[in-house]
Each structure stands twice: as C-alpha cells, then as structure tokens.
C-alpha cells in the first residue's frame, strides 16, 4: 500500500525555511483580527509555477512575492461542503468517502492546500535560479467559527475588566483556521511572531519573548517572539488576555499565566511542576529542548490539554486549592503529560499521520513513568490495567485500531470512518489510538529493556538538537521529524536488535490476544497440565504467536515459566518445585521475597499449587479468561502483592458467593496494608456478593459494621465522627463504603430500610468544620448513594390517569427528594468546588423521574444546561436531557440538544453532546422510533456536511451519532426516491465526485485559453460533450435507456491545452429548450422525459464560485488532465474513466462492442441537479444493466435530441451502424434483446397499451436493419434506466 501520508514530502516542489506571523490588531467586540504572514520558500524545481498553502475562514486581500510583484491566487476549500449540492445520498459510506477525498484535496502532506498562488512571470527567473522566494499574504479573520476562540463575558466594564481573552485551539493540522501557513508537521521552520494588543492585555505565543514595544500614545503594545527551533505550523499557538503572570519560583524558565483572581489556586496547582521537568531530564539524560516553557489557563478550553512548542493551553478547571484532594492526581497527570509532549510531539514531531503513534505513544509512556514516580507502583499498574481494558473493549465492541496502516497487506479492517487523516477520525478512536500507542511503547520497553529504550530516546533528542542548530538546507532538519522507519533505524543502531516482527504484529495489525485457560495438577508426575486456547474468531481478537509468561505460586515460592505460543499448540506442562505437604500451616515465600503464614485448610492436600496467573506483567495486549477454584482466588486476593492480581481475584470471586468469599472480601476492606483502590473494589464486590447471598446472609447489612468501626463515634458508633481526611486511604474508603452499601437489596429487590436510615444519618451528622480538606466530593457521593437506594415505583400511573404526584410518594422517596432538594438549594447559595453537589443532585432528580417517583420533566435540566452555568453542571444536565430523550422519545428535547451543538459558544459542550448521543442514542437502526424522521436525517446530514467545516472533531462526532442511529446505510425513514437513478459502482464513484473539485480550475483562473470544441455540429456549445439522454423506457423494457457518448477526435485539442495543466470538467446540464438545429419534436415525445447533457470541457474561463451560488447552478466537477497527453485515451484520467466504465482502453479501436455491467438499486428519489451527482453511485442491492457499446459515430450524432430513440439498449445511431456487422451478430443481438425482454416481463406492470408497445418494437426492428457508412469518430454509449413510466426522469443521479 502506498504511504499516502508521506507522499507530500517528495511532491512539494519547495521547502519552507522561515515564517513571519504578524497580527497588527485584535478586536474583541467584533471578534476579528488583521495581519499578514511572510513565508520564505526555497524552490526545489526550476519549473515551479504554483504555490499551495493552507488557509480557512480567513479573507486574503493580496499576495506579494519579493515585496514587489502581486501574484494572482485562487481559493478553493472542498471541506466547506463535503457532499456538494443537493445530492440525495444519505448513507455514511458515501459521506466518508467524500470526506476523505475532500480532506486529501487540501492536505498539506500531499502538497495541496486551499489557496493556490500563481507565480508571476517576473518571478520565473528567480525560480529558475532556485533562489529563495518571500511570499507575503495580507489577511483578516472575522468572527471565526473555529480555530480561534474569543471569550467575552457579558459583563460591564472594559474588555480587561471583563476578563475577555482569546486563544487558538483545534485538533492536529488546524493552524490554517487562524492564519495562512503550510499546515503540515513535515514542514518545520523558524518563526518570528509579532502581536499588537491593548495596553492592558498580554500576548503569549511560542518561542522566546524578545521585546515588548509600546506605541507613542501608550494605548497599545507589541510583543515580539522568536522561535529559533524549527517547528511546524500545527505547533504554533497564541493566547491574548488580561492574564496574571507568575514566574515559577523553582524554575525561572517556566512562566504561568491565569485569568484575574485565580493566582492563589494557580500557585498551588503548579507547585510540583519543577519535579516533572527534573524527572524527565534525568530519565532521558537530556535537557529540556527549549529555552522556556509557558502554561496558560483559559476558560472554555477546547480540551483539558493542548500542547504547542514552548507552551501549553490548559483549562482553568484543572486549577484547585489546597483543600481539594480528588483533583490533585488528575491535574498533575495532565500537566506532566503536556511536558512530555514538549519533548516528543512538539520538539520531535511526526513526519506524517501514519507516524503519529510514535510521538503520542512515547509522550504517554514518559507520562506513565512520571505517574509511577509520583504516585507509586500500585497506582501505575492499576493505570496500565485500566488503559489495557479500555483498548480491549473498544476493539471488541467498536472496531480495529491499527497504529500504522501504511504497509498493511490485504484489506484494512472496515470502519465507518477513514483513518488516514486526523480530520476524518472518530473522536473516540483518536482517544483509543493514543492509549494503544502508549501501551505498545511500554511493550517495547519490556521486550528490549528500559535502558535500551531510554538510550534510543536520548539518541533521537541528540540528533534533533544537532539538526536544530544548523542553518537551513534541503534535508537539514529531517531529524526533527520522526517516522516509523527512522525510529527502527535508530533503534537498530543503538540496541543492535531487530524489532520488525514486533512492529508488524502490534503496530501494523489490530486486535488483542484473547486467551481461555485452565489447569489440573497431576500428582503422580508432580506437574501442572496447563491448557491455553486462543479465540481468534471473536471481534477485536488477533492471532498471537510468541512468548507468554505464566506465574505459578507454590508452597515453596513463586516461579515464572515462559512458553512459546504456537499456532496449533494449546497444552503445556509445568514441573512443580514443591511437594504437597500434610501440615496445615507453614510460611510461604512470595514473589516479593517476604514470607507469610497461610491457612492451607482450604486447598487440595495433594496439590502444592496455590494460584496461577497468565501474563502477570501485562507484556502484551491481551484478555485472559482464567478458570481456577474459588479458594485459589481467595488466596490470590489475600496474599498476592500485585494490585492487578488482587483486582482480577475480586472480579472472579463475584462468581463464588460463599461465606469464604465474604470473609476474604471483608478482610481486604479492613486491611490497612492493602492498596486503597483494591479495598474500594472489594467493597463494591461485597455488595454484589451479599445480594447473591441474600437468603443466607446473617447479621447486619454488609459493611455497616466496618464503616461504624472505622468512622463511627467512640461513644455512639451509629453517629459518624467529625470529618478528618488527612488519611487519604480512609478518605477514599469513607466515600466508597456508603456507595457500595446503597446497592444492597433484600429478597424483594428493595434497599434494606436500615441502609437508607444509615445514609440519611450520614447527611444529618456530617460535620466538616474542623477538617482542613473540602468535603464536596464526599457529599456528592452521599447523594449518589442515597439515590441508588431507589427502586422503580410500583405504579407509574394512578387511577385518574395522571403522572406521579407528591401525595403519592412513599415515605422513603419523599425523604430522599427532600434531602436532594435541600442540598441543591444550599448549593445555589454556597457553591462548592466544581459544583460537584449540584452535579449529583441533577443526576438524582433524573433517576427519580426515570423510576416514576416524580413527574418526568426536562425544563429543570434545560435551565441548568444553558450557557453561563459551570461546565460540569452543564454536562450533568445534558446527560439527563439525553436520557430523557431516549426514555420519553422527546423530539423537542432532541431538537434542543442539536440546537446547542450548532450554536453553543463552548465548542467542548457541543462535542460532549455528540459524544453522549453516540454513547446512548435515542434509538438505533433496528428500532422503530417516532424520533426517526426525515427532518432529523437532513439536520444531522447538514451538521456533518457543511455546518462543521471549522471543527473536524465536531464533524466526526456528528458522524458518530449518525452511525449510532442509522448505521452505514441509507436511513429507512427516508422516502423511496421517485425519479432518480440509483446505481452502484462501489468505490468507482469517488473518481468523479465533484466534492473535491473547485468551481474554477487553476487553468481557468491563470490561463487565457479558449474553449476548444470537440464537436462542430452544435455551434452553441464550445466544448465537447458527453450526451446522456434520460429517456422514458419502452413498454416492453422493464428499465430505462440512457446514453453517454464519448467522442474521440480530440487528439490535437487535448495536446494544445494539456501542456498548460488544464483540467477536464464534468457537469450536468438540463436541456429545457432544444437547440434550433434539432428536428421537430412532438408533444408525445416531450412528455416522455427531458434530456440532459453530461459535458466534458477542456480549458476556457468559467464563472466564479459566487456566480454559481447566485444562480444556483451547481459547481463544476473537474478531472485534472494528464500533461503532455496527445490522445484522450492515453491520459491517465481518460484511462481511469474507461476503466471505471468497464472498458479496456487498448481494445477500443479493435472492439466495436464491449460488455459492461452496472449495479442498480430499487430506491429512487426526486431532486434537482446537484454538483455532487455523478452517473454512478453506491447502493445496497444491485443487478446488471445492459451492455456498454463502443462504436463509430455518425455525423447525425451531433444533433442534440430531446426525443429519446425508442431502442432499449442501443441508440438509433447504433441501429444505423448495425448493417456493417455480419448477419449472425444482428440475429444474436435481437435474440439477446428478446430474451431480456421476456426475463423482466413478469416483474413489471405497464400502463401502456399493447398497440403502442408493438409499434415501438416494430420501429426498433426497422432501425436495426438500416446500415450506414462508419465515421472515424468513436462513441461510448452507456445505457441507463428510467425509474418510472409515467414520470419524466430527473437529470440527477443518486448514490445510496
């Protein structure tokens, strides 16, 4: 497979050495900016005539080269509307095909862009000498929809007093959204950045702050930044606002910026940062690669962390005070990850998107090592296990994740979105991609050793540092980019190890290994007979061949055994080191080296095996389903020191609800030496075990005694002590036990009354007055626990037919509702950190509604979801609205959610709504729902197609929702098309898809070529035409006939224009009035259907895109011609077109008739002509159509006909031609036609009388008998079929 992502590296005929970005003014009131850029380009070819750059949303005023010559330019952005025009195609496969094509059309990696600049003739001598070009572009940006966020609070005062600020944002390759550039990671350069802002504003950008210059009136100031390290445009960012500045007291190179009044929490949140820098530098034996680092905290951030060269933009929601516990590990991990991205991602960037797994994976790997250093090995191993499970679940439930599909052999795993560009990825996929990349780098560390891996990283940084210090040359800065091949080369140089097999298995393939295993002990041979099988047929599973470690804990210690997993081998043997002992107690040495006393009464007296684990260190991506007796799981939980092993044991013990399991879980909860996350898992598992043992459970409810013992008052255990969260383990346990207890149920499946009273008492006696930490998270969990006790109401409706009312509430439900209401009202007066209590209250109210205790109403959630509330509160309210939409099938609520997606000022809110709708869709394809309407389909299609061109993440999120609701095919709620041809040519359709073609080609804009006519008969048209006449089918024929003619006498004309790089153009034109040269057409024929023309045009000037929009004429698709071609059938696109039509170009002169088959769909729709219409498309069901005939053209063919000839398969010209063939061919043709007629006769009923049918058939036979001298012109007639007898055919083709 061709590595498309890297093709631009060799295609771009110039190199970018330096860029200047100067923004001379920001206007917060009108949300606009104005400025200019300068690009210093080094031509690589003497024939360079076009320069393509990326720019979206902006308005370009003029382009100058060398500050002297103004250059003409053309703007074309096919991503503004993916499926252009009013094409009635509504299936996701079609959209994603167009999406990828449109994205590639402006992909900088492919040397493409939205703006094409023609080099003036005066500059050509400079290009010929390969001297540098300085391209200056003046531009402005007004009210940007994406890429640059203006945050202007609706308050009184000046912009600085309001806290108004702006910042850049977006996913990869999104710098084009706010300034012209070459938006590719493969084009690094040095930067000079200048920003002029108001006197009370601060501009923060990449690089070193060189100077700050004030204007003479002291109203404005200009910040000058210089970035000497070669950096790609996607890694450039800006933030402007009235920021408060703090220089890090431990590292003066680091500066922190926050909005007004947030300095206290900024100091506390960033106090650890110097430790992360020191850890990374010591780990890789390399200094931080830049001379400075800036952290900027902004409101309404696009994501929690956006890393750029020398700076990172964070969300203010990461800041916290010293009183908050739960946010600390989250914020520190995110900030540490951003620092790791400075090394790999910003300083060393990916060469193409296919190499993105390397910087993303290495940064994630470094961050995980910091997490291990800061929070301990147990936290690290738990984190790895969670990441592994997340990746497994995604690949098993959603689709394959291939890190580098560039060299994939065979067909790629089918997903509903392309994976070859970051702008086409599902947001969920992008998250899983990053997690899997990190896990693969960690696997590589295990495979070759940490020291060798760190040496490799050090070598990469050293080579990049050397390259950054050199002056620009063609390949000087190639070491600043990282590709899979260069990484493997350096890895081999440093370590001497070949890891190509590893890369092929885990990077270029998808899936996780799935193992199923058990074992038995053979006492006579003293061996463990192990059986290990792989499930290679399950979704997301892969066939693993390689080493696998099995750890066995015996009486005499723990031993590791490594087996070679082969294709057909499933059984293995492990020789035990221990003999079975009859004594019941002894000290057992563990893997950690410590010896513990074990009670061996539960184990088999003949077996020395205590437990067994497969792949304990998670060395591969795997899912293990392991079978062993319950006492072994209990031993593993009690005595194994690995937190992952303990978590696995807890999960397995849920299937063994016995008193021994209860005791093991209880002991784990009470064991202070156990990791707090394991104790939390044990508490949740004990609740489920207790529910399974409800008939035999003795004593008070599970965990109540434990909680009162740990946290109850000494004098009265039923009253909880004053809060003291200084012991973090006890704090997390104090939150978890009430939550676990809320899941307890009696034999009648209701919560025990004593549990509910226990929870209400916790609210009553909660005292945080002497606690130095906030209890907001604790109170939020208590509300969650209180609501978990609710069971569905017995009766949802009472006698009067009305919904539930307060008088019908049970006492328990009333108490719960009163407590929730009290907390919610108190929160309005004294909001806590991140409004966690409000979030829990909203979730509680929605659950009360869903269970029928209170009337289901969404007005409360609508008020909390409105803009102006805190981010987390809005998310909680939106989650409730999504649930309300699904349960109550509310069209109004769904419409409100989509309104927020389209219009909400916070882009992160829009993204999260789409994420919620895709995770919990209101309906699915298999369900019948009142919400599934044509209006909803059109709205979602418009959202994906044209409303979200400014935000790739939002567009792909819309595709996720569309897929969740309707799958990949046409929604069943859409009406059956009436008069539109639906054909299936599968992947061939996208060849002529006009969504990737500009309205005006480069030739039309830059060259003064005239239209060249291929046909002399019709002087009213100045270009050769492919005429496709939409005909009413004869009564005998079940399908219509249409005809596409390709003329071949164009050798000289193509030669004349192809040298200038002109393009073929294809467009559909409806003929409302027949030309004067046409013969008289009867009214009868006019009723049979209007004809339309499919034109191919070379050269010439066409109207500008604005003119097309004004008269609603669809934009013209064009197929770029092959330069230097002297024969239309020799050009690559002509050959591709003929190949697309099923014709062998080499056989055209010799073969008068070429068989051709198309697919047909039974779904039709009526619509106007659209630029997106091609004469073939995608559909689900298909059948063959008549043959495609290639034959000489007669002079009469030049006449444009409005009346279709009454022939089913061949045109009248073909009939005239038939006499030149032998008699056997004519008979064969008639027999074949008759057979086809009879074949479909029983399937179709026609309203035409038999006389008319016979008349047409006779006329057809007469035409077949005629003969005429052949001409030198060749024609391809492509038959199409009319959908209806009584309705005139529409000149539109649709793809389903």
């Amino acid at each position: 497979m061709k590595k498309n992502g890297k093709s631009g590296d060799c295609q771009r005929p110039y190199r970018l050495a330096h860029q200047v970005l100067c923004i001379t003014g920001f206007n917060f009131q009108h949300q606009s900016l104005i400025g200019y850029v300068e690009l210093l380009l080094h031509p690589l070819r003497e024939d360079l005539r076009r320069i393509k750059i990326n720019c979206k949303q902006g308005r370009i005023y003029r382009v100058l080269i060398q500050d002297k010559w103004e250059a003409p330019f053309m703007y074309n952005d096919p991503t503004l509307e993916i499926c252009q025009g009013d094409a009635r195609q509504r299936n996701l496969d079609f959209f994603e095909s167009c999406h990828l094509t449109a994205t590639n059309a402006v992909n900088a990696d492919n040397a493409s862009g939205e703006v094409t600049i023609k080099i003036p003739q005066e500059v050509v001598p400079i290009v010929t000498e390969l001297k540098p070009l300085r391209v200056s572009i003046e531009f402005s940006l007004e009210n940007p929809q994406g890429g640059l966020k203006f945050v202007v609070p609706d308050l009184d005062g000046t912009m600085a007093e309001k806290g108004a600020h702006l910042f850049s944002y977006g996913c990869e390759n999104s710098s084009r959204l706010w300034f012209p550039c070459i938006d590719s990671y493969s084009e690094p350069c040095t930067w000079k950045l200048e920003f002029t802002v108001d006197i009370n504003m601060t501009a923060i950008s990449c690089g070193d702050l060189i100077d700050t210059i004030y204007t003479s009136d002291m109203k404005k100031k200009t910040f000058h930044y210089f970035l000497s390290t070669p950096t790609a445009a996607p890694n450039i960012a800006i933030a402007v606002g009235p920021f408060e500045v703090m220089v890090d007291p431990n590292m003066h190179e680091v500066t922190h910026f926050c909005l007004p009044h947030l300095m206290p929490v900024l100091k506390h949140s960033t106090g650890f940062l110097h430790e992360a820098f020191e850890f990374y530098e010591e780990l890789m034996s390399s200094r931080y690669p830049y001379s400075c680092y800036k952290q900027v905290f902004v409101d309404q951030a696009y994501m929690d962390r956006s890393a750029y060269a020398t700076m990172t933009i964070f969300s203010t929601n990461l800041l916290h005070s010293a009183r908050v516990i739960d946010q600390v590990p989250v914020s520190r991990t995110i900030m540490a990850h951003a620092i790791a991205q400075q090394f790999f991602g910003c300083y060393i960037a990916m060469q193409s998107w296919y190499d993105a797994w390397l910087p993303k994976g290495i940064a994630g790997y470094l961050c995980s090592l910091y997490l291990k250093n800061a929070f301990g090995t147990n936290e690290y191993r738990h984190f790895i296990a969670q990441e592994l499970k997340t990746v497994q679940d995604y690949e098993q439930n959603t689709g394959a994740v291939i890190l580098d599909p560039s060299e994939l052999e065979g067909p790629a795993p089918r997903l509903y979105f392309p994976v070859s560009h970051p702008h086409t990825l599902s947001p969920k996929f992008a998250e899983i991609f990053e997690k899997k990349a990190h896990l693969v780098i960690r696997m590589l560390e295990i495979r070759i050793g940490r020291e060798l891996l760190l040496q490799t990283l050090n070598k990469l940084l050293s080579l990049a540092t050397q390259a950054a210090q050199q002056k620009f040359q063609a390949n000087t800065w190639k070491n600043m980019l990282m590709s899979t091949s260069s990484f493997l080369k350096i890895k081999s140089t440093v370590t001497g190890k070949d890891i190509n097999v590893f890369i092929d298995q885990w990077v270029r393939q998808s899936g996780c290994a799935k193992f199923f295993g058990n074992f038995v002990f053979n006492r006579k041979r003293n061996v463990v007979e192990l059986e290990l099988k792989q499930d290679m047929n399950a979704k997301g599973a892969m066939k693993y061949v390689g080493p696998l470690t099995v750890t066995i804990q015996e009486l005499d210690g723990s031993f590791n055994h490594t087996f070679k997993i082969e294709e057909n081998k499933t059984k293995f043997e492990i020789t035990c080191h221990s003999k079975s002992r009859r004594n019941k107690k002894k000290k057992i040495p563990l893997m950690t080296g410590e010896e513990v006393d074990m009670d061996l009464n539960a184990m088999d007296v003949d077996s020395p095996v205590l437990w067994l684990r497969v792949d304990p260190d998670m060395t591969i991506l795997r899912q293990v389903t392991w079978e062993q007796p319950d006492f072994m799981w209990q031993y593993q939980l009690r005595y194994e020191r690995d937190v992952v092993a303990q978590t696995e044991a807890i999960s397995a013990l849920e299937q063994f609800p016995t008193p021994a399991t209860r005791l093991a879980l209880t002991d784990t909860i009470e064991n202070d030496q156990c990791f707090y996350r394991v104790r939390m898992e044990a508490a949740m598992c004990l609740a489920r075990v207790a529910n399974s043992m409800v008939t035999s459970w003795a004593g008070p409810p599970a965990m109540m005694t434990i909680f009162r013992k740990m946290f109850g008052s000494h004098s009265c255990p039923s009253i909880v002590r004053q809060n003291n969260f200084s012991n973090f383990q006890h704090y997390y346990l104090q939150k978890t036990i009430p939550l676990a207890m809320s899941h307890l149920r009696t034999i009648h499946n209701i919560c025990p009354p004593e549990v509910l009273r226990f929870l209400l008492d916790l609210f009553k006696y909660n005292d945080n007055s002497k606690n130095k930490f906030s209890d907001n998270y604790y109170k939020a969990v208590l509300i969650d626990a209180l609501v978990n006790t609710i069971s569905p109401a017995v009766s949802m409706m009472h006698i009067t037919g009305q919904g539930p009312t307060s008088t019908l509430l049970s006492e328990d439900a009333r108490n719960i509702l009163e407590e929730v209401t009290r907390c919610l009202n108190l929160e309005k007066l004294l909001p806590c950190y991140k409004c966690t209590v409000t979030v829990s209250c909203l979730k509680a109210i929605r659950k009360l509604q869903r269970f029928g205790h209170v009337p289901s109403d969404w007005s409360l959630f609508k008020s909390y979801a409105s803009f102006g509330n805190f981010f987390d509160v809005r998310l909680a309210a939106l989650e409730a609205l999504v649930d309300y939409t699904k349960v109550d099938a509310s069209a109004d609520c769904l419409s409100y959610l989509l309104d927020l997606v389209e219009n909400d000022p916070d882009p992160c809110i829009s993204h999260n709504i789409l994420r919620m709708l895709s995770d919990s869709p209101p309906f699915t394809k298999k369900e019948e729902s009142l919400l599934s309407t044509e209006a909803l389909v059109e709205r979602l299609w418009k959202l994906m197609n044209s409303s979200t061109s400014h935000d790739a993440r939002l567009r792909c999120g819309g595709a996720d929702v569309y897929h969740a609701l309707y799958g990949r095919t046409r929604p069943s709620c859409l009406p059956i098309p009436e008069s539109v041809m639906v054909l299936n040519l599968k992947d061939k359709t996208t060849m002529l898809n006009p969504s990737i073609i500009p309205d005006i080609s480069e030739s039309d804009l830059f060259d003064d070529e005239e239209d060249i006519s291929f046909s002399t008969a019709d002087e009213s048209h100045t270009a050769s035409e492919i005429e496709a006449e939409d005909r009413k089918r004869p009564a005998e024929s079940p399908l219509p006939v249409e005809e596409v003619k390709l003329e071949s006498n164009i050798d000289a004309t193509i030669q004349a224009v192809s040298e200038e790089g002109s393009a073929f153009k294809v467009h559909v034109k409806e003929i409302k009035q027949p030309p004067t040269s046409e013969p008289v057409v009867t009214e009868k024929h006019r009723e049979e259907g209007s004809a339309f023309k499919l034109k191919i045009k070379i050269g010439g000037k066409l109207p500008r895109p604005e003119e097309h929009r004004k008269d609603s004429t669809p934009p013209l698709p064009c197929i770029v011609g092959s330069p230097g071609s002297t024969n239309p059938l020799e050009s690559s696109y002509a050959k591709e077109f003929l190949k697309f039509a099923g014709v062998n170009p080499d056989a055209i002169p010799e073969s008068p008739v070429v068989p051709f088959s198309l697919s047909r769909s039974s779904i039709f729709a009526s619509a106007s002509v659209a630029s997106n219409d091609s004469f073939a498309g995608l559909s689900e069901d298909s059948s063959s159509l008549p043959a495609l005939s290639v034959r000489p053209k007669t002079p009469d063919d030049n006449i444009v006909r409005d009346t279709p000839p009454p022939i089913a398969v061949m045109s009248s010209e073909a009939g005239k031609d038939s006499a030149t063939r032998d008699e056997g061919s004519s008979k064969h043709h008639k027999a074949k036609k008759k057979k086809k007629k009879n074949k479909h006769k029983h399937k179709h009923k026609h309203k035409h009388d038999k006389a008319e049918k016979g008349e047409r058939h006779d006329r057809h036979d007469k035409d077949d008998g005629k003969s005429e001298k052949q001409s030198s012109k060749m024609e391809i007639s492509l038959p199409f079929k009319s959908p209806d007898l009584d309705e005139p055919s529409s000149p539109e083709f649709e793809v389903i």
Side-chain angles (χ1 to χ4, degrees), residues 1094-1274:
L1094 187 62
K1095 289 188 150 189
I1096 291 185
K1097 188 173 185 180
I1098 295 184
K1101 293 188 177 181
L1102 293 175
R1104 292 187 175 272
E1106 298 78 16
E1107 300 175 29
H1108 284 289
R1109 297 190 189 97
K1110 289 178 182 177
D1111 59 10
S1112 72
T1113 304
L1116 305 180
C1118 68
I1119 308 170
V1120 179
S1122 174
S1125 175
T1126 59
N1127 191 322
L1129 301 180
E1130 290 179 359
S1131 73
S1132 60
Y1133 287 95
K1135 288 184 178 180
E1136 193 68 13
F1137 171 74
L1138 293 176
K1139 196 184 299 181
F1140 156 71
V1143 179
N1144 182 1
D1146 300 329
I1148 286 181
E1150 293 80 18
S1151 304
V1153 178
V1154 181
F1156 177 62
S1157 63
L1158 295 176
S1159 298
R1160 177 184 64 86
S1161 172
S1162 60
I1163 303 174
F1164 303 95
S1166 61
S1168 61
V1169 178
S1171 66
N1172 210 9
D1173 301 331
S1174 58
F1175 41 80
L1178 297 172
S1179 72
E1180 280 70 39
D1181 67 11
S1182 62
S1183 62
S1184 62
L1185 283 178
L1188 170 74
S1189 62
V1190 181
R1191 57 177 180 75
K1193 178 176 173 66
T1194 66
D1196 292 340
D1197 292 344
N1198 294 325
I1199 300 176
V1200 181
R1201 298 181 182 272
D1202 195 35
T1203 306
I1207 300 176
V1209 177
M1210 300 177 62
S1211 64
S1212 61
E1213 290 84 354
K1216 298 175 184 178
D1217 216 24
S1218 59
T1220 61
R1221 303 172 184 163
D1222 57 23
E1223 186 178 354
S1225 299
S1226 178
K1227 290 181 179 179
H1228 173 73
H1229 172 70
K1230 292 181 180 180
K1232 183 176 179 182
K1233 177 183 170 188
K1234 186 174 182 181
K1235 182 178 179 182
K1236 182 176 179 123
K1237 212 166 50 176
N1238 295 334
K1239 178 180 178 183
H1240 297 280
K1241 195 170 184 180
H1242 64 287
K1243 294 184 181 179
H1244 301 270
K1245 295 182 180 180
H1246 306 293
K1247 298 180 181 180
H1248 303 273
D1249 57 339
K1250 295 181 180 178
E1252 182 181 354
K1253 185 188 303 182
E1255 179 182 348
R1256 290 181 180 177
H1257 189 267
D1258 293 340
R1259 187 162 63 242
H1260 166 64
D1261 289 339
K1262 291 177 182 178
D1263 289 343
D1264 271 351
K1266 296 181 180 180
S1267 64
E1268 190 166 340
K1269 187 178 180 180
Q1270 293 186 358
S1271 170
S1272 61
K1273 295 183 180 180
M1274 299 294 296

Side-chain angles (χ1 to χ4, degrees), residues 392-581:
Q392 290 169 357
D393 291 344
Y394 183 88
E395 296 215 65
Q396 183 175 344
N397 299 324
T398 304
V401 180
I402 302 179
L403 299 180
D404 181 6
S406 62
E407 298 182 13
L408 184 67
E409 296 181 0
R414 195 83 189 274
L415 294 169
Y416 62 90
F417 52 86
V419 297
S420 57
H421 195 279
H423 290 183
T424 62
L425 294 182
S426 163
K428 298 179 191 174
F429 180 91
E431 293 177 10
I432 301 300
F433 181 92
E434 195 165 336
K435 294 178 185 294
K436 184 171 182 178
H438 157 229
L439 292 174
V440 168
I441 295 296
R442 178 182 174 273
M443 289 165 54
L444 182 60
E445 174 213 63
I446 297 172
R447 187 66 57 92
I448 67 174
R450 175 178 294 187
E451 292 301 322
L452 292 178
L453 178 59
L454 294 177
Q455 287 178 20
T456 303
L457 302 184
N458 176 271
K459 183 67 173 178
L460 288 168
L461 290 170
S462 300
L463 291 174
T465 302
Q466 294 175 7
Q469 296 172 352
Q470 298 178 9
K471 292 184 178 180
F472 172 81
Q473 290 180 1
N475 293 316
T476 302
W477 295 334
K478 64 178 181 179
N479 287 328
M480 304 292 296
L481 304 174
M482 182 191 300
S483 65
T484 303
S485 57
S486 65
F487 178 77
L488 293 178
K489 183 178 179 181
I490 294 176
K491 170 65 65 179
S492 177
T493 303
V494 173
T495 66
K497 295 185 177 182
D498 184 8
I499 58 171
N500 283 309
V501 175
F502 173 87
I503 296 295
D504 290 339
Q505 188 168 34
W506 297 109
V507 177
R508 293 170 179 149
Q509 289 186 30
S510 64
C512 301
K514 300 188 71 173
F515 293 104
F516 299 85
N518 54 42
F519 71 94
V520 294
F521 175 69
N522 190 323
R523 184 170 59 88
K524 293 182 179 180
R525 300 173 56 205
N526 197 37
V527 298
V528 172
E529 297 175 351
L530 177 69
E531 184 177 13
L532 204 59
K533 297 180 179 179
Q534 287 192 69
D535 181 4
M536 293 175 286
N537 297 323
K539 185 178 180 180
M542 69 173 294
K543 176 182 176 182
Y544 175 70
V545 177
L548 188 69
T549 302
V550 175
T551 299
I552 182 170
Q553 177 67 51
E554 303 178 27
L555 295 175
D556 289 346
S558 183
F559 305 95
N560 291 329
H561 301 269
T562 302
F563 299 103
K564 177 70 174 178
I565 302 298
E566 298 176 354
E567 186 170 354
N568 299 319
K569 189 174 181 181
T570 60
K571 295 186 178 181
F572 308 91
E573 291 186 352
I574 300 175
T575 303
C576 292
H577 296 73
S578 312
K579 296 289 185 180
S580 59
R581 308 280 176 86

Side-chain angles (χ1 to χ4, degrees), residues 914-953:
L914 293 177
R915 171 64 66 90
M916 293 173 190
L917 288 172
S918 61
D919 289 342
S920 180
F923 59 89
T924 61
K925 181 182 178 182
K926 299 178 181 179
E927 300 173 1
E928 293 292 336
S929 174
L930 296 176
L931 297 177
S932 181
T933 62
E934 184 179 3
L936 177 62
V937 174
E938 294 301 325
R939 187 169 187 181
L940 289 175
W941 189 266
K942 181 181 178 183
L943 178 72
M944 300 186 302
N945 188 36
S946 58
S947 299
T948 50
S949 63
H950 56 276
D951 191 337
R953 184 177 71 170

Side-chain angles (χ1 to χ4, degrees), residues 993-1132:
N993 186 349
S995 64
I996 65 167
I997 304 304
D999 296 344
I1000 303 178
S1001 71
E1002 297 174 24
S1003 311
D1004 295 328
L1005 181 68
F1006 299 136
D1007 299 331
D1008 296 327
E1009 299 155 5
E1010 297 180 354
D1011 291 353
I1012 299 176
S1013 175
F1014 295 161
S1015 176
T1016 59
D1018 186 0
E1019 296 298 330
S1020 62
H1021 300 282
T1022 60
S1024 75
E1025 301 172 353
I1026 296 177
E1027 298 183 1
E1029 300 183 359
D1030 188 14
R1031 305 175 179 178
K1032 182 176 178 181
R1033 64 173 177 266
E1036 306 89 348
S1037 173
L1039 297 173
V1041 178
E1042 298 179 23
E1043 191 173 51
V1044 176
K1045 304 172 184 178
L1046 177 65
E1047 302 173 359
S1048 64
N1049 59 341
I1050 55 177
D1051 299 1
T1053 54
I1054 284 191
Q1055 174 67 25
V1057 295
S1058 61
E1059 293 177 354
E1060 295 298 326
S1062 65
F1064 290 97
K1065 296 189 173 183
V1066 181
H1067 69 94
V1068 178
K1069 179 178 180 182
E1070 185 175 358
I1071 303 176
K1072 297 183 179 179
Q1073 297 294 334
T1076 56
S1077 59
E1078 285 192 353
V1080 177
V1081 182
T1082 65
E1083 283 300 315
K1084 177 180 177 182
H1085 287 158
R1086 290 188 184 278
E1087 292 175 357
E1088 291 178 354
S1090 61
F1092 66 91
K1093 291 186 176 182
L1094 187 62
K1095 289 188 150 189
I1096 291 185
K1097 188 173 185 180
I1098 295 184
K1101 293 188 177 181
L1102 293 175
R1104 292 187 175 272
E1106 298 78 16
E1107 300 175 29
H1108 284 289
R1109 297 190 189 97
K1110 289 178 182 177
D1111 59 10
S1112 72
T1113 304
L1116 305 180
C1118 68
I1119 308 170
V1120 179
S1122 174
S1125 175
T1126 59
N1127 191 322
L1129 301 180
E1130 290 179 359
S1131 73
S1132 60

